[in-house]
Amino acid sequence: MIGKLVKSNSHTDYICQIYGTGEVESPPKADAYAFGSFVRIPLGEDAGALIGIVYDTMLLNPEFGTLGPRLSPEPDLAVFSPDYLAEKVTLVGIKAVGMVDGAGSVTQGVPPLAAHIDAPIVALDDAGVRAFHQMPDGRVQIGYAPVLLGQAHPLARHLLMCVLDRLRMLFPEAAAHLDVVRHELTWQAYLGPLGGNARGAR
Amino acid sequence: MNANPLGITQGPGEGPHEFIFVTPDYDELAKIGEFVYYQAAVDGELRRVLGRITGRTPVRLLPNGLLADPGVPPDQVASMVGYTGAGSELFEISVNVLGYYHELLGDFVNPRLPPRLGTPIHIADSAMLTHVLSKRAIGEVGGAHIGSLLSRPKDEVPVVLDLTAITSTHLAIIASTGSGKSYLAGVLLEELMQPLNRAAVLIVDPHGEFDTLMEMEGARAFADPQDGYQPRVEVIRPENVKVRINSLSLGDLRYLLPDLSERMHYVLSKAYGLVQRKFGEKWTLAQFRLAVREADEQLSGGPKSPEEQAKSLSEGDDYGTAGAVIWRLNSRLESSSIFDDMRSMSLDELFRPGQCTVLQLNEVDQREQQVVVATLLRRLWLARMQTEKKEAVRGDETYLPYPAFVLVEEAHNFAPASADLVSSQILKQVLSEGRKFGVAVGLISQRPGKLDSDVLSQCMTQFILRIVNPIDQARVAESVESVGRDLLGELPALSRGQAIIAGAAVNTPLLCRVRQRITAHGAEDVDAPSRWRAWFDRDEAAWEDRDQALPVESDRGRNKLFKT
């Protein structure tokens, strides 16, 4: 587990608080919730899980800007104020891109179900990512790509490129197909903003 | 068949028979004019539908700012800002659909079904093109191997024309000066004279540049060892060009004689009728002069009395109408080496299978050239018509039992757009009806804008070489409907020896690289600067000095002789 669900901005946009020191036995390492990582959000007993992608990271420090009087310096708080709770947390934005139902059937795109508050967030391993992207006939599918690109998030294209790079590693047999999409995104992401004229993007 | 497709269909093009496909084109195969195909099910059968590339546009254009420094390759700049796809260019290729080749029809059939989005597009292989573009194969009777497809390596896809189509529905060779039209005509003539074809050809050569075809006579390439065939080339020099006066029509006479008044026209036509009534078809100039006098007298109400003659002289009418007409007849016909009472060029000497006759008119007045061509075509036309209708039999002057082909250089002088000449009329007749009687013409012109548009549009096979002049381009576009506008756009970009061939002799318009001539080319440009230099290198300068030198003074010299 890497954290728990603490907030949502929309049906597909969730905020996860990453477990910090002391919260769990072994807090997650930074690469477990890196930009573009796949996560799983269980929906409860036999209901399957949402599959999401980490698309943003925010560092939350409630004390930032609080310049009021202190009883003791920060390193001594644990000694002199043992009831003081550190509330500095790492939050990550997660975009739900599909779900796997209780029977293991995959749906890509906007999931019909929503996650619960405080739901645990689990990093998805390579097998899970493969299972989510491989159709019963063996084809690789990224049916959520339009949902991602349609969010108008400034990093949407880069996020999809990260996903494609990982899929290329997991599905070497589909490298040619994935490269076609990768090239187009690279053009749009790097040369489009500079004024490159992509007539094919009509 | 190529296993890997060249590109993928993107969607429809501008016209109903156009589509667009997208390709990275790593091997740079998608050239303009190149042939591609897609597969489509037509009537339950999988067909290869051929199309011709008409345009090529890059899809991804780098930002202009990345091209700011000519010394810095833009792909390196793109790579610097993180774009790693440098070199992955894409092109939108527009294609004009020709159709699938129907073996029975021997032509392309348009399925009227553009390819679906995503249909793979293949480059057409050379074997397929060789089979479907030309109507004939090399070495086949009636085939003329004129060159090879321009978009493919030299000689990979031969272009072989159908001579049956050319010799029944005529041809036109249109090009600017210096783009190789005479050269192409030479290649065509070589093919016509090959043992497989053995044509009866006459070339109207106003520049005298086709005499190099004489080389065909001894060349092994044109001989058939089986029956000993060897083409004959007859060059008729300008001094040997003869037109018998009685073969001139009234129209020819009117055209030849300058500044005729209304009365003179009338006298001339009356005399023409008279001379034919009196002397039949074999009249002479002297007899015609008599007829002119008689016609004039008939008009004036009988012979003039001496008083009347004196009166007309005093009024300044020195000769009267008859005198004026006769004076013009003499000045035109009698002083010309071409018109003769007895001699003419007999048709069976001019036209004979396996013979190429070059009629050189390079020292002949242009009006006379037009009359020569008009009379010749008229005689040929009459002979072929009478022979086909069995009105002429062996031994008759008008018996010509085989089709004939006449190639006319500088055709705009014989059928100009601006005037209706004696030669225009017969040319139009041959062009519209020649098919029935086996008379075909080939017109060569460097000014299609000056050529009669009716004449041009009736030549069903067109060879179009480079044309830069917009007026000429427009005339070609309006007269030659079989060439698509995509190919016409290529006209200014064609190099010497590259031609668009369209019409009845090929299955589809194509860009052709004209093959090398076997005989020498006779219309090379004069290299003036090197000739000027050569004048100094040789001993002409020394001769010149000698001619200009003053006499040497000596003791026995004339100067001394007169000294005191």
Side-chain angles (χ1 to χ4, degrees), chain B residues 320-437:
Chain B
T321 307
V325 172
I326 289 167
W327 184 85
R328 283 168 172 77
L329 278 172
N330 289 347
S331 73
R332 263 291 173 194
L333 304 183
E334 211 165 48
S335 60
S336 165
S337 68
I338 288 178
F339 302 104
D340 195 287
D341 274 338
M342 294 303 174
R343 287 184 295 166
S344 79
M345 302 172 290
S346 79
L347 282 180
D348 60 346
E349 282 175 13
L350 290 174
F351 298 98
R352 190 173 289 176
Q355 178 180 309
C356 173
T357 310
V358 181
L359 190 66
Q360 291 191 334
L361 297 175
N362 43 330
E363 288 156 26
V364 179
D365 169 71
Q366 192 162 317
R367 273 181 179 249
E368 290 182 353
Q369 284 186 14
Q370 288 152 355
V371 172
V372 168
V373 170
T375 50
L376 198 63
L377 281 174
R378 207 162 42 228
R379 285 173 60 208
L380 172 66
W381 173 252
L382 190 72
R384 285 296 302 147
M385 200 162 62
Q386 290 192 353
T387 310
E388 286 295 308
K389 289 180 174 173
K390 307 218 182 318
E391 290 168 3
V393 292
R394 189 180 293 275
D396 286 355
E397 203 176 292
T398 54
Y399 180 71
L400 198 71
Y402 36 79
F405 181 66
V406 182
L407 195 62
V408 184
E409 255 279 20
E410 303 292 349
H412 50 271
N413 289 339
F414 299 98
S418 52
D420 196 19
L421 304 183
V422 281
S423 44
S424 320
Q425 295 157 8
I426 182 69
L427 265 174
K428 282 181 189 171
Q429 190 173 10
V430 169
L431 284 164
S432 59
E433 298 174 54
R435 189 176 193 165
K436 287 185 279 188
F437 303 111

Side-chain angles (χ1 to χ4, degrees), chain A residues 184 187 190 196-197 199-200 202, chain B residues 10 59-61 63 81 92:
Chain A
E184 181 56 25
W187 174 272
Y190 288 92
N197 180 13
R199 281 160 36 81
R202 62 189 178 183
Chain B
Q10 187 216 47
V59 171
R60 289 174 176 162
L61 301 178
V81 296
E92 254 184 20

Side-chain angles (χ1 to χ4, degrees), chain B residues 144-145 183-195 197-198 212-213 215-216 221-222 229 231 356 515-521:
Chain B
H145 176 211
Y183 193 93
L184 173 61
V187 170
L188 186 66
L189 288 164
E190 285 178 1
E191 289 297 317
L192 282 162
M193 302 318 293
Q194 288 284 352
N197 298 320
R198 307 185 183 193
T212 52
L213 291 170
E215 293 172 26
M216 283 197 290
F222 297 95
Y229 165 78
C356 173
R515 74 159 169 78
Q516 200 160 3
R517 260 178 79 165
I518 301 169
T519 53
H521 183 41

Side-chain angles (χ1 to χ4, degrees), chain A residues 180 182-188 190-192 194-202, chain B residues 10 20 57-64 66 78 81-85 88 90 92:
Chain A
V180 170
R182 178 75 160 81
H183 278 142
E184 181 56 25
L185 283 173
T186 312
W187 174 272
Q188 290 177 15
Y190 288 92
L191 293 182
L194 290 180
N197 180 13
R199 281 160 36 81
R202 62 189 178 183
Chain B
Q10 187 216 47
I20 289 173
T57 318
V59 171
R60 289 174 176 162
L61 301 178
L62 286 173
N64 287 349
L66 264 57
V81 296
Y83 177 64
T84 51
S88 61
L90 280 183
E92 254 184 20

Side-chain angles (χ1 to χ4, degrees), chain A residues 94-106:
Chain A
I94 291 172
K95 183 69 69 184
V97 292
M99 67 173 284
V100 180
D101 66 14
S105 173
V106 171

